[in-house]
Structures are given as C-alpha cells and as structure tokens.
Amino acid sequence: MVGDLKKKRFLTYDEQIIFLEEKKDLIISDKEYARKALLKIGYFPLINGYKEVFKKAGSDRFQWGTNFEDICELYKLDSDLRNVFLKSILVVERNIKSSLSYHFCKEYGDLQSDYLNVNNYDYTGKKKNVINKMMKIMSGQLRCDSDYVYIRHYMTIYRNVPLWVLMNVLTIGQLSKVYACQKGRIQIKVCQDFGPLRVNEMGKMLAVMTKFRNVCAHNDRLFDFRTKDALLDEDIHRRLQIPKEKGRFQYGKNDLYAQVIILKLLLSDEDFRTFFRDLKMCFKKYPLHKAVFGKMGFPENWERIGRIKKYKKSEML
C-alpha cells in the first residue's frame, strides 16, 4: 500500500508543536524551548528519529506523561555517544592501518608497484572482483592534484606513494576489504598484533565496526543501530555472562554492545580505560531507563567488561 505524501502538508514550528500536543499526546510545557529545538534539529531527525522508545504499544501516540524534553535528552545522549564511540573507533582504525601496512611492506615492499600487484593478494575466487575494485580505488588516489597534501608531495617529488602513506586516505570500509583480500600469513600477523585473534574474528570485527563508524560519522541514530554482520561467538561473551536464547547470545553480537566488545579487544588497555570512563560519564549525564539500555543491546551487568581481562591465560599461551 502506497501512502499519500501530499497529506503530510508543511507545518510551521508553532503548528508542529500543536500537532505534537493534540495529535500525539506529547507534553510541551516550554513552547520556546521546543520551537528552538525544532529549528536547530528539525522535526524528522528529532521526533521521528527518537519517538519509538516513548510510544504507546500499538499506537502512534506517546506514552502518558512523556515530555518534549525526554525526547531531546535521548537525542543529546545519542549525540554524545557518537562522539565517544567515534573517537575510539578512529584509534582502532589507525592502529589496524599501521599494522597492515607494516606487515604488507615487510613482506612485499612499499612501492606502488608492490601494492598494486594483484599477485601480492589472495587473488582467487570471488576476491578477484574485490581486489580489482580496490586496485582502481588506490590507483585513483595517486594523483599530483590530490586533495591530500602528502599525496601531492610524494607524487610530485618521488613519483611514488608508499603504502603506509596511502593508507591514510583509505576509509575503514576500504581497509576492511584490503584486510579481507590479504594472503593468510599477512592476516595472521595483523591479528597477532592485537592478541590471540583468529583471522575470521578480525574480519567480522572490521565489518561490524565499519557500519558503526559510518553511523557515527554521518550523524545517524546510534543507540539502537543493528548491523547485518555479527560478531562470532567469542570467549569474552561467555566471560561477560551474556545470557543465551535458543543457543545464541542475546547481546553483543550486532548491537552497540558488540562495538564495546570490539573496542575492548582491539584497543590498548589504557585506551579502553579512557573510552570506558567517557562512556560511563555519558550515561551518568543522561540517566536512562531500562528500555533504552535494552535497545542498545546492553546487558544489566554491562560494566563487567571494564573489569575482566581481554583474554583468558590459556588463550594467551
């Protein structure tokens, strides 16, 4: 059934406020505050973006007693969460780029002819198309008129851009593909830089983290975001005592808590402590009810992740 977009006529800020009060049962005690919020944020990203937590079951109206400020508080929490997560995701991204470029260059060399040679990748099966596309993307960055001053410098002076320089301009999605197309011995060495990780575990982490990184960077709703990719079952899921349902862990697979687990495993202990402190401060600033934590995929004992070790001693042997 196709809806009629013409019925959703333009409403002024004052009309939007009246609509929310009379048609949606939203309490708006401070009209000027609401008007300014709608001006700065917009009706769709604010109301449509964060209304689900506060709606009556089976209705398009808000639960009794819901205030406009409640929705704004959830919006602000989500904004702060994006900043907290993005800052740490960028650290992991930088670390993986450094590790991957180091091990590739040590094995094959750092010249353009080395990283643009498909024979230096796992050029088999379905990966052939992915590698060919990555070759085009990387080649396209090698321009004397590049937007990046360091690319222009190397192209102008040396006519060659080492991989450890080019890595800076690749997105995390492109990084994920470059990792996936490496030969096994390179992938193993990269994983070893972060702990006793299996090659496919790192691949899943990169896939999930890419989606969360993009949500943060594009200012989309983060707190209840779910990825199509999911983390493999890790020992850390068991040590976190995450409950199972039908044999599957209920939290920490493709939800926001999964991203917390990724940061636990891939950040240094010091960097994770900084992230964890910032996350707790964020929650303290915006007191949440259980419905929000549930939508984030956070178990009741979520803070346990700050106390346990990344790996059991047996995994480190």
PDB file of all heavy atoms in Angstrom, residues 113-129:
ATOM      1  N   SER A 113      54.142  -0.260  -7.184  1.00  0.00           N
ATOM      2  CA  SER A 113      54.129  -1.485  -7.980  1.00  0.00           C
ATOM      3  C   SER A 113      53.929  -2.729  -7.118  1.00  0.00           C
ATOM      4  O   SER A 113      53.488  -3.768  -7.618  1.00  0.00           O
ATOM      5  CB  SER A 113      55.443  -1.612  -8.763  1.00  0.00           C
ATOM      6  OG  SER A 113      56.562  -1.594  -7.881  1.00  0.00           O
ATOM      7  N   ASP A 114      54.243  -2.608  -5.818  1.00  0.00           N
ATOM      8  CA  ASP A 114      54.064  -3.735  -4.908  1.00  0.00           C
ATOM      9  C   ASP A 114      52.614  -3.873  -4.470  1.00  0.00           C
ATOM     10  O   ASP A 114      52.032  -4.957  -4.551  1.00  0.00           O
ATOM     11  CB  ASP A 114      54.964  -3.567  -3.680  1.00  0.00           C
ATOM     12  CG  ASP A 114      56.438  -3.565  -4.027  1.00  0.00           C
ATOM     13  OD1 ASP A 114      56.830  -4.375  -4.881  1.00  0.00           O
ATOM     14  OD2 ASP A 114      57.187  -2.739  -3.467  1.00  0.00           O
ATOM     15  N   TYR A 115      51.998  -2.764  -3.999  1.00  0.00           N
ATOM     16  CA  TYR A 115      50.627  -2.888  -3.502  1.00  0.00           C
ATOM     17  C   TYR A 115      49.585  -2.815  -4.604  1.00  0.00           C
ATOM     18  O   TYR A 115      48.407  -3.062  -4.371  1.00  0.00           O
ATOM     19  CB  TYR A 115      50.331  -1.890  -2.376  1.00  0.00           C
ATOM     20  CG  TYR A 115      50.421  -0.422  -2.711  1.00  0.00           C
ATOM     21  CD1 TYR A 115      49.411   0.235  -3.410  1.00  0.00           C
ATOM     22  CD2 TYR A 115      51.509   0.335  -2.279  1.00  0.00           C
ATOM     23  CE1 TYR A 115      49.484   1.588  -3.683  1.00  0.00           C
ATOM     24  CE2 TYR A 115      51.597   1.685  -2.538  1.00  0.00           C
ATOM     25  CZ  TYR A 115      50.591   2.317  -3.243  1.00  0.00           C
ATOM     26  OH  TYR A 115      50.675   3.664  -3.506  1.00  0.00           O
ATOM     27  N   LEU A 116      50.017  -2.487  -5.843  1.00  0.00           N
ATOM     28  CA  LEU A 116      49.095  -2.526  -6.976  1.00  0.00           C
ATOM     29  C   LEU A 116      49.264  -3.805  -7.788  1.00  0.00           C
ATOM     30  O   LEU A 116      48.698  -3.928  -8.877  1.00  0.00           O
ATOM     31  CB  LEU A 116      49.304  -1.298  -7.871  1.00  0.00           C
ATOM     32  CG  LEU A 116      48.933   0.048  -7.248  1.00  0.00           C
ATOM     33  CD1 LEU A 116      49.210   1.183  -8.234  1.00  0.00           C
ATOM     34  CD2 LEU A 116      47.483   0.081  -6.797  1.00  0.00           C
ATOM     35  N   ASN A 117      50.008  -4.739  -7.249  1.00  0.00           N
ATOM     36  CA  ASN A 117      50.222  -6.031  -7.900  1.00  0.00           C
ATOM     37  C   ASN A 117      49.251  -7.054  -7.320  1.00  0.00           C
ATOM     38  O   ASN A 117      49.343  -7.420  -6.149  1.00  0.00           O
ATOM     39  CB  ASN A 117      51.670  -6.484  -7.677  1.00  0.00           C
ATOM     40  CG  ASN A 117      52.004  -7.791  -8.369  1.00  0.00           C
ATOM     41  OD1 ASN A 117      51.130  -8.465  -8.929  1.00  0.00           O
ATOM     42  ND2 ASN A 117      53.270  -8.175  -8.343  1.00  0.00           N
ATOM     43  N   VAL A 118      48.319  -7.518  -8.127  1.00  0.00           N
ATOM     44  CA  VAL A 118      47.281  -8.423  -7.629  1.00  0.00           C
ATOM     45  C   VAL A 118      47.871  -9.743  -7.130  1.00  0.00           C
ATOM     46  O   VAL A 118      47.248 -10.446  -6.330  1.00  0.00           O
ATOM     47  CB  VAL A 118      46.210  -8.708  -8.709  1.00  0.00           C
ATOM     48  CG1 VAL A 118      45.471  -7.440  -9.082  1.00  0.00           C
ATOM     49  CG2 VAL A 118      46.825  -9.380  -9.937  1.00  0.00           C
ATOM     50  N   ASN A 119      49.067 -10.081  -7.578  1.00  0.00           N
ATOM     51  CA  ASN A 119      49.693 -11.326  -7.147  1.00  0.00           C
ATOM     52  C   ASN A 119      50.119 -11.289  -5.681  1.00  0.00           C
ATOM     53  O   ASN A 119      50.431 -12.339  -5.100  1.00  0.00           O
ATOM     54  CB  ASN A 119      50.907 -11.652  -8.018  1.00  0.00           C
ATOM     55  CG  ASN A 119      50.521 -11.951  -9.463  1.00  0.00           C
ATOM     56  OD1 ASN A 119      49.557 -12.678  -9.700  1.00  0.00           O
ATOM     57  ND2 ASN A 119      51.248 -11.385 -10.405  1.00  0.00           N
ATOM     58  N   ASN A 120      50.139 -10.096  -5.102  1.00  0.00           N
ATOM     59  CA  ASN A 120      50.500  -9.961  -3.691  1.00  0.00           C
ATOM     60  C   ASN A 120      49.273 -10.032  -2.778  1.00  0.00           C
ATOM     61  O   ASN A 120      49.363  -9.712  -1.590  1.00  0.00           O
ATOM     62  CB  ASN A 120      51.247  -8.650  -3.457  1.00  0.00           C
ATOM     63  CG  ASN A 120      52.621  -8.666  -4.096  1.00  0.00           C
ATOM     64  OD1 ASN A 120      53.206  -9.729  -4.304  1.00  0.00           O
ATOM     65  ND2 ASN A 120      53.149  -7.487  -4.422  1.00  0.00           N
ATOM     66  N   TYR A 121      48.145 -10.457  -3.350  1.00  0.00           N
ATOM     67  CA  TYR A 121      46.911 -10.625  -2.594  1.00  0.00           C
ATOM     68  C   TYR A 121      46.377 -12.037  -2.830  1.00  0.00           C
ATOM     69  O   TYR A 121      46.898 -12.778  -3.657  1.00  0.00           O
ATOM     70  CB  TYR A 121      45.864  -9.592  -3.026  1.00  0.00           C
ATOM     71  CG  TYR A 121      46.286  -8.169  -2.800  1.00  0.00           C
ATOM     72  CD1 TYR A 121      47.036  -7.486  -3.763  1.00  0.00           C
ATOM     73  CD2 TYR A 121      45.958  -7.495  -1.628  1.00  0.00           C
ATOM     74  CE1 TYR A 121      47.441  -6.180  -3.560  1.00  0.00           C
ATOM     75  CE2 TYR A 121      46.352  -6.171  -1.416  1.00  0.00           C
ATOM     76  CZ  TYR A 121      47.101  -5.527  -2.384  1.00  0.00           C
ATOM     77  OH  TYR A 121      47.503  -4.228  -2.179  1.00  0.00           O
ATOM     78  N   ASP A 122      45.352 -12.386  -2.112  1.00  0.00           N
ATOM     79  CA  ASP A 122      44.710 -13.687  -2.286  1.00  0.00           C
ATOM     80  C   ASP A 122      43.770 -13.592  -3.493  1.00  0.00           C
ATOM     81  O   ASP A 122      42.545 -13.530  -3.356  1.00  0.00           O
ATOM     82  CB  ASP A 122      43.939 -14.063  -1.014  1.00  0.00           C
ATOM     83  CG  ASP A 122      43.302 -15.446  -1.113  1.00  0.00           C
ATOM     84  OD1 ASP A 122      43.672 -16.205  -2.032  1.00  0.00           O
ATOM     85  OD2 ASP A 122      42.434 -15.760  -0.269  1.00  0.00           O
ATOM     86  N   TYR A 123      44.376 -13.575  -4.670  1.00  0.00           N
ATOM     87  CA  TYR A 123      43.642 -13.314  -5.913  1.00  0.00           C
ATOM     88  C   TYR A 123      42.973 -14.589  -6.417  1.00  0.00           C
ATOM     89  O   TYR A 123      43.355 -15.176  -7.429  1.00  0.00           O
ATOM     90  CB  TYR A 123      44.605 -12.752  -6.956  1.00  0.00           C
ATOM     91  CG  TYR A 123      43.938 -12.053  -8.110  1.00  0.00           C
ATOM     92  CD1 TYR A 123      43.176 -10.902  -7.904  1.00  0.00           C
ATOM     93  CD2 TYR A 123      44.070 -12.529  -9.411  1.00  0.00           C
ATOM     94  CE1 TYR A 123      42.572 -10.251  -8.966  1.00  0.00           C
ATOM     95  CE2 TYR A 123      43.471 -11.896 -10.485  1.00  0.00           C
ATOM     96  CZ  TYR A 123      42.710 -10.757 -10.247  1.00  0.00           C
ATOM     97  OH  TYR A 123      42.098 -10.110 -11.307  1.00  0.00           O
ATOM     98  N   THR A 124      41.949 -15.016  -5.676  1.00  0.00           N
ATOM     99  CA  THR A 124      41.240 -16.246  -6.019  1.00  0.00           C
ATOM    100  C   THR A 124      39.725 -16.029  -5.868  1.00  0.00           C
ATOM    101  O   THR A 124      39.283 -15.189  -5.088  1.00  0.00           O
ATOM    102  CB  THR A 124      41.650 -17.408  -5.095  1.00  0.00           C
ATOM    103  OG1 THR A 124      41.383 -17.050  -3.724  1.00  0.00           O
ATOM    104  CG2 THR A 124      43.129 -17.729  -5.254  1.00  0.00           C
ATOM    105  N   GLY A 125      38.958 -16.830  -6.593  1.00  0.00           N
ATOM    106  CA  GLY A 125      37.501 -16.861  -6.434  1.00  0.00           C
ATOM    107  C   GLY A 125      36.843 -15.494  -6.487  1.00  0.00           C
ATOM    108  O   GLY A 125      37.185 -14.631  -7.315  1.00  0.00           O
ATOM    109  N   LYS A 126      35.907 -15.280  -5.562  1.00  0.00           N
ATOM    110  CA  LYS A 126      35.142 -14.033  -5.521  1.00  0.00           C
ATOM    111  C   LYS A 126      35.999 -12.834  -5.140  1.00  0.00           C
ATOM    112  O   LYS A 126      35.612 -11.684  -5.390  1.00  0.00           O
ATOM    113  CB  LYS A 126      33.982 -14.175  -4.533  1.00  0.00           C
ATOM    114  CG  LYS A 126      32.933 -15.203  -4.939  1.00  0.00           C
ATOM    115  CD  LYS A 126      31.811 -15.275  -3.922  1.00  0.00           C
ATOM    116  CE  LYS A 126      30.759 -16.292  -4.329  1.00  0.00           C
ATOM    117  NZ  LYS A 126      29.648 -16.385  -3.325  1.00  0.00           N
ATOM    118  N   LYS A 127      37.143 -13.097  -4.532  1.00  0.00           N
ATOM    119  CA  LYS A 127      38.006 -11.982  -4.103  1.00  0.00           C
ATOM    120  C   LYS A 127      38.621 -11.243  -5.289  1.00  0.00           C
ATOM    121  O   LYS A 127      39.072 -10.106  -5.139  1.00  0.00           O
ATOM    122  CB  LYS A 127      39.105 -12.505  -3.183  1.00  0.00           C
ATOM    123  CG  LYS A 127      38.601 -12.988  -1.834  1.00  0.00           C
ATOM    124  CD  LYS A 127      39.744 -13.424  -0.942  1.00  0.00           C
ATOM    125  CE  LYS A 127      39.222 -13.914   0.406  1.00  0.00           C
ATOM    126  NZ  LYS A 127      40.321 -14.343   1.291  1.00  0.00           N
ATOM    127  N   LYS A 128      38.649 -11.864  -6.455  1.00  0.00           N
ATOM    128  CA  LYS A 128      39.247 -11.221  -7.625  1.00  0.00           C
ATOM    129  C   LYS A 128      38.569  -9.887  -7.923  1.00  0.00           C
ATOM    130  O   LYS A 128      39.235  -8.876  -8.160  1.00  0.00           O
ATOM    131  CB  LYS A 128      39.159 -12.144  -8.849  1.00  0.00           C
ATOM    132  CG  LYS A 128      40.126 -13.315  -8.818  1.00  0.00           C
ATOM    133  CD  LYS A 128      40.042 -14.113 -10.117  1.00  0.00           C
ATOM    134  CE  LYS A 128      41.048 -15.264 -10.130  1.00  0.00           C
ATOM    135  NZ  LYS A 128      40.975 -16.035 -11.402  1.00  0.00           N
ATOM    136  N   ASN A 129      37.225  -9.886  -7.940  1.00  0.00           N
ATOM    137  CA  ASN A 129      36.491  -8.652  -8.238  1.00  0.00           C
ATOM    138  C   ASN A 129      36.734  -7.585  -7.182  1.00  0.00           C
ATOM    139  O   ASN A 129      36.884  -6.400  -7.494  1.00  0.00           O
ATOM    140  CB  ASN A 129      34.991  -8.942  -8.344  1.00  0.00           C
ATOM    141  CG  ASN A 129      34.628  -9.709  -9.607  1.00  0.00           C
ATOM    142  OD1 ASN A 129      35.341  -9.645 -10.607  1.00  0.00           O
ATOM    143  ND2 ASN A 129      33.535 -10.443  -9.566  1.00  0.00           N
TER     144      ASN A 129
END
